Amino acid sequence: MTDSNESPRSADGAENPHTDAVDADHEELPADVVDEAERLTRLTRTTPDESEAQAHAQRRAELLEDHDFTARIRDDDGDDVLVLHPEEWHDEAEGVIRTDRIDDLSRAVEIPLEGSGDPDDWDVVDAHNRELVEQVRASHGDVHGDNATALADFVGNHYAKRIEELTDPELSEFRTEYFVRNSWPSDEQRAVIDESIRLVYETAEEPMPGTQVR
């Protein structure tokens, strides 16, 4: 008999692989929703600021709620696994999944968050951004370097992806909100922020968001 605390697994007893989890044919959770839930989960786990971490967790909950899903972290032999499953399977009072409520195991999605199966190395992404910062600092001085650092902090805390992958709205969010409110820029930094951003993308040899030729 399966314990009510046990997370759903495939019919043969094996865990659902991440490649199946993000399959475009998943009837209830689109691939972009799964990817965003994973990204927000990783941000929740790595963001040092507790209020920001809670905000990421809340955004994930709201995202999944739109599809009547919820999330939990399962300890799988020391490695954490993100489990996305229909909300109806969850016994809120007991805080467990009730196997008697599970109608179809394939409705659940499991994403390893640790170990060799980790699909994305988030440390590598941050290291890439920091290397880009140091290149800007070495070539263009500390003021532009400090602004590049603020951009890398923003990307790491809010989006966990390469600076070059920011969208136009995300870069605008940095410029108009994060930079002025959270990075405590000096007058010198404020005066050259647009130039600093341009230099970051020039150093990365990538076009700035919104400037690509269509």
Side-chain angles (χ1 to χ4, degrees), residues 172-212:
S172 178
E173 178 188 353
F174 165 73
R175 176 66 182 85
T176 61
E177 297 181 27
Y178 183 91
F179 178 71
V180 296
R181 296 177 182 176
N182 300 96
S183 63
W184 301 93
S186 66
D187 291 340
E188 286 181 291
Q189 286 179 258
R190 290 175 183 271
V192 300
I193 182 58
D194 292 331
E195 177 70 4
S196 297
I197 293 173
R198 185 188 67 78
L199 289 172
V200 169
Y201 282 88
E202 181 181 283
T203 301
E205 298 183 344
E206 293 288 345
M208 288 178 56
T211 64
Q212 293 91 335

Side-chain angles (χ1 to χ4, degrees), residues 54-98:
Q54 291 176 348
H56 294 316
Q58 181 62 30
R59 286 171 61 190
R60 184 189 67 188
E62 293 171 354
L63 174 72
L64 294 175
E65 186 178 6
D66 288 342
H67 298 270
D68 297 320
F69 265 63
T70 189
R72 68 184 290 265
I73 303 296
R74 189 188 76 234
D75 184 341
D76 189 6
D77 295 327
D79 291 333
D80 288 344
V81 176
L82 171 64
V83 182
L84 310 178
H85 59 84
E87 192 170 10
E88 65 203 59
W89 294 0
H90 186 248
D91 185 331
E92 186 173 355
E94 297 294 331
V96 298
I97 294 175
R98 292 296 184 188

Side-chain angles (χ1 to χ4, degrees), residues 126-146:
D126 186 64
H128 166 83
N129 291 338
R130 301 300 170 179
E131 175 62 25
L132 189 57
V133 168
E134 291 312 308
Q135 291 176 19
V136 171
R137 188 181 301 278
S139 298
H140 303 287
D142 286 339
V143 175
H144 290 304
D146 289 345

